[in-house]
Each structure stands twice: as C-alpha cells, then as structure tokens.
Amino acid sequence: MTATEPGAWWRHAAIYQVYPRSFADGDGDGTGDLAGVRARLPYLAALGVDAVWFTPWYASPLADGGYDVADYRAIDPRFGTLEDAEALIRDALALGIRTIVDVVPNHVSVQHRWFQEALAAGPGSPERARFWFRPGKGPGGDTPPTRWVSDFSGGTWTRTTNPDGTPGEWYLHLFSPEQPDLNWDHPDVRREHEEILRFWFDRGAAGIRIDSAALLVKDPALPEVPATPGPGEHPHVDRDELHDIYRSWRAIASSYPDERILVGEVWLPDVERFTRFLRPDEMHTAFNFDFMARPWDAKELRESIRTTLEVHAPVGATPTWVLSNHDVTRPVTRYGRADSSFAFARKRFGTPTDLARGTRRARAAALLVGALPGAMYVYQGDELGLPEVEDLPRELIEDPMHFRSGGVDPGRDGCRVPLPWTRTGVSLGFGPDDGAAPWLPQPADWGERSVEAQSEDPASMLTLYRELLRVRREQAALAEGDLQWLDLGDDVVAFRRGSRLACVVNLGGGAVAAPAGATALLASGPLTPDGGVPTDTAAWFRL
C-alpha cells in the first residue's frame, strides 16, 4: 500500500499532538478545554496537519495528567462534555483533520467504578480478579509481593486497608498508586476495551493511540525480574501474549469501511521485538522513540534512521518520526545541551542549555523529520519553538514523576505549560483576559514566542513549520520516493527522496556544499552566499 491509496492517509501524515489542559482555554477557568480546541481548529488547518492526537480527555482525577482514567465514555467536566468531543471530531473532519484518541489499557484510576467495587468486595472476590490484588509476604504480610520497580520510581505495590482498619491485600501499579493495573487475563478487561474502541470509532475517531502498549500482560506467577531477561521473559514487559490482544483490536479497526488505525506507544530496545507489534494484523504504526532519544550527532541519527527503515520494511509498516511529546524535554532545550540525548533517568534540575544553539538545531531537526519516509508528529508548541520551562515553582509542580523521585527529577510539567497565542493579555491568549490565570504560569517572555508574534515574522519557527508542511504536501517525492543516502561527509545527514529531491542536514563545524546543480526549496536558516549549508542547518533541494 502506498501513501496515495485510499485509507492510507496515516502513512505520510503530519499528526499534531494536543495536550488538552494546555492548548486553549475556552471558558476562562485557567484549564484548557475542548471549546478552546474547537475555536483554534482554523489554526491547525492553516498549519497544515492531517490529524490531531488528543492525550486523555476522559473523566479523571488528573493524578497523572489524565492517564488515570475513571470513565472512558465520559469527558472530564473540566474539558467539556461528550457532545463537545463529538462536535470537535466533526468540526475537525470538516477541515480535513482526523482525530486520534488516547486509550490507556494497562491501568485505570483508583476512582474507576471497577476499582471501587474491588475495594468494597474484599479478598478473593470476582471484582478483585480484574486487578492484581495479592497478599503480602513475610510476617503479617508486610512485604510487597514483588520487588518490581515503578516507571515513576519507587515500588509497584500499595497496601489496602480493611474495613476494620487492619492492613489488607496489596495491589499492583506499574506507575503511581492512583493507577492500579488491570489483569488482562480476565475476559471482562478484554471485552471492555474492545467495546471502548468501538465506542470511539462509532463517534468518528480515526485512530487509537495505545498508551504503555507493551506492559499490559503480566506473568501470573509474578516472578522477580531476571537480571538479564531474554526475549519474552520479562514478567511485565513485552510478553508474547500481548499480540493476541492487538490482533483482536486490529480486526475491530479493519471492520470499519474506512479502516481506523492503531498507534502504539512501544518503548523497547530490541528492534526485532518492537517490529512484532507492527505485523500486518497488529498495529498500523508505533512511536519511534529511538530516534527521539538520540543526541544531535550525525552518526547517531543516521544509524537510527537506517535501523528504523530496515526493521519496518519486512512487515510493510510505516515509520514514525517524533522529536518530543508531553513526557519529553522540548527540542530547543534538549538540543542546546552538552548531552542532547534524552533519558528519563538523567533529567535533573539546573542542567544548562544554550537556547540559541538548541533553536537552530530544532529548526534543522524539523526539516529532517519532515523529509523522512513515513508519518511525522508535532507536539503542541514545538512549532513555536517553545523551550522547556525549568523554573516552575516547586509548589506548583503536579507530575508524580517529580514526587516519586524524591524531588530530584523535575518532572514533565515543564513541557506542559499553556500555549501563548497573543503578545499580551493575562494568559497571552490562552484564555479570555477576564478569566483565571493558567493552571501553570507562562514565562514572561512568551508573548514574543506567541502565535500572533510569530505569524508576522517570516523567519519564525511557526513560519518554518507552515512552509515545511506545505512543501511536504506538494512534493510527491516526500510521500512516495525511496530514501537513498548521499555521502557528504561524516558530520552530515544527507539523502535523496526519489530522483528529484534531497535533504541535507549539517551537524559539523563548517559549511557543506549543496549537491551539484541543486536548487534550494526550503532551509531551516540562511544558506551561505554560494548556496552551502552552514552548521546546525538543514535544507531541502530540488535536483
């Protein structure tokens, strides 16, 4: 299937990620909402995106930014109503923008009806069988059932309290205690999620993004994690049984006349195991975290691109190219650091960065991902070149990663600060001027980074993204042409798409000559007088 065949829009899509709480505030309460997104749909259409992926908009206590879902069939009142979501999906589609919704199958909120029923029912009950309740070890059951380590630091078990006040069973949560893990061996869990998919597909959603997709299935014996687990041997990551789940989901997606897509969040270092999720009867695409985490280094980026294309080809899957998301340090900050790679374990307060250098590199990286075969994702605000906000008052940080690290990890709220839309105003246009302050404070200089300010500036990041997405749509080679590497030096990432277009990204110290006879189509920064590509600059050329 090629990118031009009906139903294959996702193979070359530009997909924009909306974090609803921070995109736009329609009712003035300081929290972004669906009314705010609906009002800004013309902005997204003008930007040139094909689809919008919404992080969870469901009813939730927001213990983890909405990834603790209390009800999949209800919109959180802070964001709006189910009718608002249905209208948003329709309005977006009328502008040519499809909608992808987030599903979090590994866990639910402690406020979810099932978990509340499980707590009330007690040990050994059918209600508790939908989760991982277990007695503790040792005298009095005071030791957790396993020593598994949470993705949010710390342990993975929390003890309940019996009605009489005595300590009860423990329950498993790979993330925070507010997010109890579901037991995917239980038929109720599988049936419920299949119905959730149909619920949103029936309302016009074009796709489902699957959170923590490799974590659902656990070894029922709950063994400790081996020192070096072999393929499929980890007790709670990448279990072989996962693939039956996604085959059933793919069958549901394929049952619709205009096939809906499955997009997996799959963090796996083993590329062969990663590719298994992308077989023709499983997911359509999965996020390419390897590329996102690589440093600004030509060898590293070439290796990631080459490996990505090689592992996707045998299963006919579409690669995705991601620079950041709602969990990851923003590119202009990350690329300005001495270590420009990304790893959660290395996030610390006070890490220095050179924003001017990071911005040049982020502009070049945008052209790089836009020229690669496959789909590209844009996290809200990256098209404005927003930096990570690293001086949020500690008392305003809400991210559980910060607290569970003992305050060492700054958390992820720095990339979730509400967007600036106008140069001035109480919230820089995020909400009405007579409304409440944004739920996280915006830096004082963000007015000049706003949509209003950048729309008037031909050299702005926003103008670059608009041009990038326009040219990307117009150039058939960027949708259909094979990638062929060009050798322009060790510090250069360069390739042809088809026979008529080339991308050159210079990560070295001196300017690089353009390919012979080439004409520049678009550049991330000024080229040299003779048309060469300076350091930390990318350009597209017509050959």
Side-chain angles (χ1 to χ4, degrees), residues 40 73 75 85 128 145 226 382 413 477-478 513:
R40 299 292 185 180
R73 296 171 180 82
I75 301 300
R128 289 203 172 187
D382 282 355
D413 288 345
L478 291 176

Side-chain angles (χ1 to χ4, degrees), residues 307-463:
T307 301
T308 297
L309 296 177
E310 286 175 354
V311 301
H312 282 72
V315 291
T318 296
T320 64
W321 308 100
V322 187
L323 293 178
S324 73
N325 59 34
H326 63 290
D327 291 332
V328 174
T329 305
R330 286 195 180 270
V332 301
T333 298
R334 189 171 78 246
Y335 286 144
R337 289 181 167 158
D339 179 359
S340 55
S341 64
F342 177 79
F344 286 109
R346 294 198 300 271
K347 287 189 69 174
R348 293 295 182 268
F349 286 100
T351 305
T353 189
D354 180 339
L355 284 181
R357 180 175 64 187
T359 299
R360 289 193 303 272
R361 292 175 172 179
R363 291 172 65 92
L367 261 66
L368 172 58
V369 298
L372 291 169
M376 68 176 291
Y377 281 76
V378 180
Y379 175 51
Q380 65 178 44
D382 282 355
E383 82 277 15
L384 302 177
L386 297 182
E388 189 85 355
V389 180
E390 300 187 288
D391 58 355
L392 289 170
R394 299 282 183 114
E395 66 272 15
L396 297 182
I397 295 176
E398 297 187 7
D399 184 16
M401 290 191 80
H402 168 68
F403 300 107
R404 288 176 62 83
S405 72
V408 173
D409 184 336
R412 299 163 294 175
D413 288 345
C415 64
R416 301 173 178 182
V417 174
L419 298 189
W421 292 90
T422 58
R423 277 196 172 97
T424 60
V426 173
S427 63
L428 303 177
F430 171 67
D433 279 346
D434 60 353
W439 71 278
L440 285 175
Q442 300 156 308
D445 64 351
W446 271 23
E448 291 307 309
R449 298 180 184 271
S450 67
V451 172
E452 179 185 26
Q454 295 200 38
S455 292
E456 303 168 0
D457 181 1
S460 71
M461 184 77 84
L462 177 57
T463 298

Side-chain angles (χ1 to χ4, degrees), residues 24 43 113 126 134 203 256 260 270 302 344 372 454 535:
Y43 166 79
R113 174 176 60 85
R134 292 292 186 274
R203 280 157 181 78
Y256 286 78
R260 313 304 167 90
D270 185 325
R302 276 197 305 270
F344 286 109
L372 291 169
Q454 295 200 38
T535 186

Side-chain angles (χ1 to χ4, degrees), residues 523-541:
S524 65
L527 301 181
T528 63
D530 61 353
V533 182
T535 186
D536 291 336
T537 303
W540 293 353
F541 294 96

